[in-house]
Amino acid sequence: MINIDAHNHVKGKSIYLDDIQELNGTLYALPFDSTVAHAKIKSIDFAAALNHKGIVSILTAKDVTGSNQIGGIIPDEPLFAEDEVHFRGQVIALIVGTSEHHCRQAAKLIKVEYEELPVIVDPREAQAQGKLIVPPRQFKLGDTESAWAKCDHIFEGRSDVNGQEHLYIETQGAYARPKEDESIIISSSTQGPTAVQRMVAQVLGIPMHKIEIDTVRLGGGFGGKEDQATPWAVMVALACQILHKPVKMAMHRMDDMRMTGKRHPYSADFKIGLDKNYKIIAYEVTHYQNAGAAADLSPAVMERTLFHSTNAYFVPNVIAKAYSCKTNLPPNTAFRGFGGPQGKFVIEAAIVKAAESLGISPSVIQKTNLVVDGDELSYGQILQQVEATNTWETCMKSYDYEAQKNRVEAFNKTNTRFKKGLAIQPICFGISFTNTMMNHARALVHIYHDGSVVVSTGGVEMGQGLNTKMLQIVTETFSINANKVRIESTNTLRVANTSPTAASAGADLNGKALQMACNNLLERLKAVAQKEYTDQIIEVKDEMVYANEIKTDITWNALITRAFTQRVALSENAHYATPTIHYDKTKEKGHPFAYHVYGTSIHEVTVDCLKGTYDFDSVNIVHDFGKSMNPTIDNGQIEGGLVQGIGWMTLEEIVFNDQGRLLSNALSTYKVPDIYSVPKQINIQHLETEGHELAIKKSKAVGEPPLMYGIGAYFAIRNAVKAFNPNVDLIINAPYTPEKVLMDLYKK
Ligand code: MTE
Ligand code: LUZ
Ligand code: MOS
């Protein structure tokens, strides 16, 4: 089935937030934000702004009717700054007017007096000053202390990795409209409608049942709308509550880039020990997470960094420790991989450092240490159905890595200006929210008496193809045509208490609930047919009822009519909660993931050693999809995730100055991959496996894992640089922008 959104996307008919027909009298809102990163607010003068043409109101913390608090995990984040600001871009007030233009003009007339305070942008500095979001956490396996003595080789180092701007094509936004009895409907471009509903209720001081959140689709989320779609929706809702008018906000790109958090930058110290056969005997890592000025999702992100700190490798003795450091940057947030990529980058850096010191290829250490069935990870989960070696070996064989290596070596011998680099990147990513409590979902299915079906789940379509997969589940379970089924918007009145669509678990969780709902309905429908065909096996195939495998004359529509006239319920609401998972935070042990996703990629890059620029010749992947329920969509996820990961590792460079000012604040100063930076060839091979029972239709979650293939791009470039400039010590910090490559090429 092709993506059901494809046609409307191409025709421009798909509805995003800013396409919603506006009601007469709609007002527009513009957040007014801090221009300093840390300060006391001494005074604010709104008088001139309030007098500006078209300005209806300017709201601040004083206008909040409930609680001025939007922290999700920890209540440490005011909606509007009160006496102090903690980052540039923190919202102080909301300007509401009859047009966005008027709001922007009025914003220039607001005068704020700040008393500036010291600014911290570096996570290690924050940690040294005891500025932490939560207490540090530590995962421990075996005993590193005694293991060091058994190591033949020990290497230490430091590795830093930068953040990443989400750059969803649709910026943040929300549109609130008043309903009867002070209730409000809010269209929100959010991955988490329930999170928005909950915070609106809290800030407005009204029950959740007065708030309806509706989400048709997002023009991309990538984690950036898991938590950080909330403040904007809360702001327009507050304005709507106070002014009794529809209020809308659709952010400008530069406002969005300045005000919202990004992927977390990390700094890390590592120590790795190997025996003479290159088995990793011990690994210690300390992560300093740059959380920004409030918790947001940072504690959960930090946790996933620890969960993935040994990537696809078995290490018998591990200490992984992490600090969530409070700095004066916008609170950083979820981003595809959710801290996992940062954890993986550091162990890859450690392996590369070890390999280079030992004069061997990193692939020797990688391959020697891949996880196998029965291995225990640092958090106590015993791995089963491991495909790490399988994907690795299939990758080497299918793409003839030996020949590629020989070709690259020959190329490097004969070329001086251009050098090629190769790198191999295995991945292993855990599927489930690491917070066990969040792993549940619901689905609601109505069959109308004309035979058409409407479906609501808690899942949000953000481009990943969730709705298409949901449609497949319905059409395959009922054996009816796609044109009989409509997947409706995600709406908190139809499906309540949802987890955000995140952790790559959207299709698994919502799909399993939907499958249950459809199966329950199907059983009821079959019972209706059974009355006419007693003692025969009833099935529905291609919109026809079969009895003992013989086609009857009952069509799907006729069956529904019979059920309706017999007063059989044609609606069903089902609930799914992932079985088998558990985690004990006091021990830092458990079985937090339903399953893991595996894969291996080979990257080939050509570096222009005069310019420092690079081109990716190819990326060859063998990926463990299980039994992909939609290969076209899933391959798209691999390609998109890979390119996004390559961008993070190479071109994309977030720059804050020491005063917490974002310098890479627009697309002119923040370079993202474009069609020219995409690898010339991306080959994706599906590993032949059985899939996993806890994956929807045995089709493994695919949203986040491929991003981590991007890490291989970094090390491929490094190998090309090493081919040109072999005998220098190069630090392992990402991103590897062309400027940095150039510096390394000529480093002495
Ligand atoms: N693909 C597109 N096109 N747009 C997105 O915003 N988000 C990614 C991934 N793929 C995203 C995407 C992230 S961060 C996640 S967690 C998953 O999709 C969420 O969807 P799923 O759980 O249905 O895979
Ligand atoms: N969100 C979350 C996530 O709350 N918990 C997770 O484990 C997670 N993982 C990936 C992406 N978002
Ligand atoms: Mo994805 S970071 O789980 O939204």
Side-chain angles (χ1 to χ4, degrees):
M1 185 180 284
I2 64 157
N3 191 318
I4 52 169
D5 275 343
H7 286 106
N8 280 343
H9 280 357
V10 172
K11 291 180 190 157
K13 284 185 173 177
S14 301
I15 306 259
Y16 297 88
L17 183 98
D18 209 13
D19 301 311
I20 295 169
Q21 281 288 332
E22 287 171 18
L23 294 179
N24 226 337
T26 293
L27 300 174
Y28 302 87
L30 181 74
F32 175 79
D33 61 313
S34 171
T35 53
V36 294
H38 192 197
K40 284 200 159 62
I41 300 176
K42 284 169 68 184
S43 68
I44 311 183
D45 182 358
F46 291 118
L50 277 167
N51 281 331
H52 188 277
K53 181 174 161 220
I55 299 306
V56 176
S57 183
I58 299 179
L59 304 179
T60 67
K62 293 192 192 78
D63 299 296
V64 169
T65 41
S67 151
N68 182 36
Q69 180 53 247
I70 55 162
I73 297 181
I74 300 171
D76 68 346
E77 192 178 354
L79 177 70
F80 296 119
E82 293 179 32
D83 308 321
E84 283 194 12
V85 287
H86 294 272
F87 62 94
R88 274 183 79 109
Q90 184 172 0
V91 179
I92 298 170
L94 187 74
I95 308 170
V96 187
T98 51
S99 82
E100 202 194 291
H101 176 72
H102 289 142
C103 295
R104 244 167 234 288
Q105 296 301 111
K108 293 179 192 156
L109 305 174
I110 298 176
K111 290 191 195 72
V112 188
E113 253 189 294
Y114 297 105
E115 181 187 321
E116 296 205 40
L117 297 167
V119 173
I120 299 178
V121 295
D122 178 55
R124 289 184 188 249
E125 193 184 331
Q127 190 268 346
Q129 293 189 23
K131 292 188 190 310
L132 298 179
I133 299 282
V134 283
R137 283 175 70 181
Q138 179 172 298
F139 286 18
K140 187 170 186 291
L141 181 70
D143 176 19
T144 50
E145 202 57 38
S146 62
W148 298 122
K150 296 180 207 139
C151 297
D152 296 291
H153 314 285
I154 296 175
F155 304 96
E156 291 180 68
R158 170 178 164 162
S159 180
D160 291 3
V161 54
N162 207 344
Q164 186 177 22
E165 163 64 40
H166 299 87
L167 219 93
Y168 23 66
I169 293 179
E170 180 194 32
T171 54
Q172 304 273 6
Y175 183 24
R177 285 93 72 195
K179 297 199 300 184
E180 212 174 66
D181 293 331
E182 311 289 308
S183 65
I184 298 175
I185 175 168
I186 304 152
S187 299
S188 167
S189 179
T190 180
Q191 292 173 238
T194 293
V196 172
Q197 182 194 20
R198 179 177 147 229
M199 284 306 157
V200 171
Q202 181 171 305
V203 174
L204 272 55
I206 55 177
M208 284 171 77
H209 71 211
K210 289 209 171 193
I211 298 145
E212 174 183 357
I213 309 296
D214 190 78
T215 302
V216 175
R217 68 164 63 70
L218 317 187
F222 306 111
K225 296 171 183 170
E226 182 172 334
D227 221 40
Q228 297 211 0
T230 300
W232 325 111
V234 175
M235 286 175 204
V236 293
L238 181 71
C240 176
Q241 182 194 40
I242 292 171
L243 302 169
H244 303 287
K245 289 271 192 186
V247 183
K248 175 175 165 176
M249 178 193 311
M251 285 177 97
H252 277 215
R253 178 65 65 188
M254 284 177 79
D255 292 346
D256 186 310
M257 288 177 83
R258 185 176 71 252
M259 292 186 204
T260 63
K262 304 160 201 322
R263 183 189 293 287
H264 293 77
Y266 276 69
S267 180
D269 297 316
F270 61 79
K271 182 174 174 184
I272 191 168
L274 302 92
D275 71 9
K276 59 181 186 314
N277 300 317
Y278 307 127
K279 272 262 174 217
I280 304 174
I281 303 297
Y283 179 59
E284 285 185 3
V285 62
T286 305
H287 290 284
Y288 299 86
Q289 178 200 53
N290 192 335
D296 192 272
L297 291 165
S298 297
V301 171
M302 176 176 99
E303 179 173 83
R304 197 176 268 277
T305 303
L306 293 174
F307 282 118
H308 293 305
S309 60
T310 55
N311 189 16
Y313 311 110
F314 173 66
V315 185
N317 304 287
V318 182
I319 290 184
K321 186 167 187 174
Y323 295 95
S324 182
C325 310
K326 191 170 179 170
T327 59
N328 297 110
L329 299 182
N332 287 313
T333 194
F335 195 140
R336 208 171 195 171
F338 205 74
Q342 293 94 322
K344 287 174 201 267
F345 181 73
V346 179
I347 192 160
E348 295 302 331
I351 288 171
V352 164
K353 171 125 190 185
E356 288 175 357
S357 311
L358 293 165
I360 58 170
S361 163
S363 62
V364 175
I365 303 178
Q366 289 174 310
K367 166 122 198 283
T368 307
N369 292 282
L370 288 174
V371 280
V372 298
D373 275 13
D375 279 347
E376 179 180 347
L377 296 178
S378 65
Y379 48 94
Q381 182 154 352
I382 315 274
L383 294 175
Q384 297 299 341
Q385 289 179 258
V386 176
E387 303 293 353
T389 305
N390 196 0
T391 60
W392 179 290
E393 281 176 354
T394 311
C395 199
M396 297 308 116
K397 227 179 26 226
S398 296
Y399 299 110
D400 199 354
Y401 176 69
E402 275 309 307
Q404 187 179 17
K405 204 171 88 183
N406 294 337
R407 185 170 46 73
V408 165
E409 276 165 14
F411 179 95
N412 285 347
K413 279 208 185 88
T414 51
N415 279 275
T416 48
R417 173 160 171 195
F418 296 95
K419 294 288 182 191
K420 284 187 187 285
L422 278 176
I424 306 173
Q425 186 57 58
I427 59 160
C428 165
F429 193 78
I431 302 303
S432 287
F433 287 96
T434 55
N435 181 354
T436 302
M437 185 220 103
M438 294 172 75
N439 294 285
H440 58 95
R442 278 153 299 286
L444 175 69
V445 181
H446 298 308
I447 306 175
Y448 292 107
H449 61 67
D450 69 350
S452 69
V453 180
V454 73
V455 173
S456 302
T457 74
V460 170
E461 174 61 53
M462 57 184 117
Q464 86 279 40
L466 181 79
N467 283 356
T468 307
K469 290 185 175 178
M470 294 304 108
L471 180 59
Q472 281 180 274
I473 289 166
V474 179
T475 55
E476 286 167 25
T477 310
F478 288 149
S479 195
I480 58 175
N481 283 320
N483 61 13
K484 280 215 153 43
V485 186
R486 183 168 162 74
I487 310 293
E488 257 301 335
S489 66
T490 317
N491 184 298
T492 53
L493 289 185
R494 275 178 266 118
V495 179
N497 306 323
T498 62
S499 289
T501 301
S504 306
D508 280 359
L509 296 175
N510 294 286
K512 291 266 186 181
L514 181 55
Q515 213 170 28
M516 286 164 73
C518 292
N519 278 323
N520 292 347
L521 281 164
L522 187 63
E523 285 314 307
R524 289 213 287 272
L525 294 172
K526 282 185 186 170
V528 169
Q530 194 82 70
K531 288 183 188 159
E532 289 167 54
Y533 296 91
T534 36
D535 298 331
Q536 300 197 33
I537 296 168
I538 304 293
E539 285 169 294
V540 179
K541 276 190 272 184
D542 301 330
E543 302 195 359
M544 292 303 296
V545 173
Y546 284 69
N548 279 353
E549 297 188 5
I550 296 162
K551 200 193 231 176
T552 69
D553 59 2
I554 309 176
T555 62
W556 168 263
N557 283 17
L559 180 64
I560 301 303
T561 306
R562 278 175 172 71
F564 179 70
T565 50
Q566 291 171 28
R567 299 185 295 170
V568 171
L570 291 173
S571 297
E572 189 68 17
N573 172 37
H575 169 86
Y576 173 77
T578 315
T580 70
I581 52 171
H582 56 87
Y583 195 69
D584 182 347
K585 265 197 181 184
T586 61
K587 299 199 177 78
E588 299 289 19
K589 294 287 175 196
H591 187 102
F593 298 117
Y595 57 89
H596 288 76
V597 171
Y598 301 89
T600 300
S601 58
I602 305 170
H603 303 250
E604 182 180 327
V605 71
T606 304
V607 171
D608 181 334
C609 300
L610 187 63
K611 298 187 194 164
T613 53
Y614 38 75
D615 275 313
F616 292 97
D617 305 303
S618 64
V619 180
N620 292 330
I621 298 172
V622 171
H623 187 86
D624 159 34
F625 295 85
K627 301 245 172 276
S628 171
M629 67 184 285
N630 193 316
T632 317
I633 284 177
D634 286 354
N635 284 352
Q637 286 292 297
I638 302 282
E639 290 170 355
L642 167 73
V643 172
Q644 198 165 36
I646 293 176
W648 170 52
M649 283 282 109
T650 62
L651 302 173
E652 298 182 41
E653 188 174 31
I654 289 183
V655 185
F656 284 97
N657 71 8
D658 61 4
Q659 288 307 300
R661 178 187 182 132
L662 181 66
L663 303 180
S664 51
N665 65 348
L667 286 171
S668 54
T669 45
Y670 186 76
K671 174 73 179 151
V672 287
D674 56 22
I675 195 68
Y676 301 103
S677 32
V678 168
K680 292 199 184 69
Q681 273 187 47
I682 300 175
N683 297 306
I684 303 162
Q685 188 184 325
H686 292 225
L687 189 74
E688 299 271 341
T689 62
E690 267 315 297
H692 197 282
E693 286 301 333
L694 295 181
I696 181 69
K697 286 182 171 283
K698 298 194 171 183
S699 177
K700 284 188 166 186
V702 71
E704 293 169 286
L707 183 125
M708 282 150 273
Y709 290 132
I711 296 170
Y714 179 96
F715 292 103
I717 297 175
R718 181 179 171 91
N719 287 336
V721 172
K722 282 260 165 187
F724 184 83
N725 189 11
N727 300 316
V728 289
D729 194 26
L730 303 174
I731 51 171
I732 308 183
N733 291 347
Y736 217 175
T737 60
E739 293 88 337
K740 290 186 186 154
V741 169
L742 191 63
M743 301 297 275
D744 276 357
L745 285 166
Y746 297 96
K747 189 175 170 189
K748 295 249 165 38

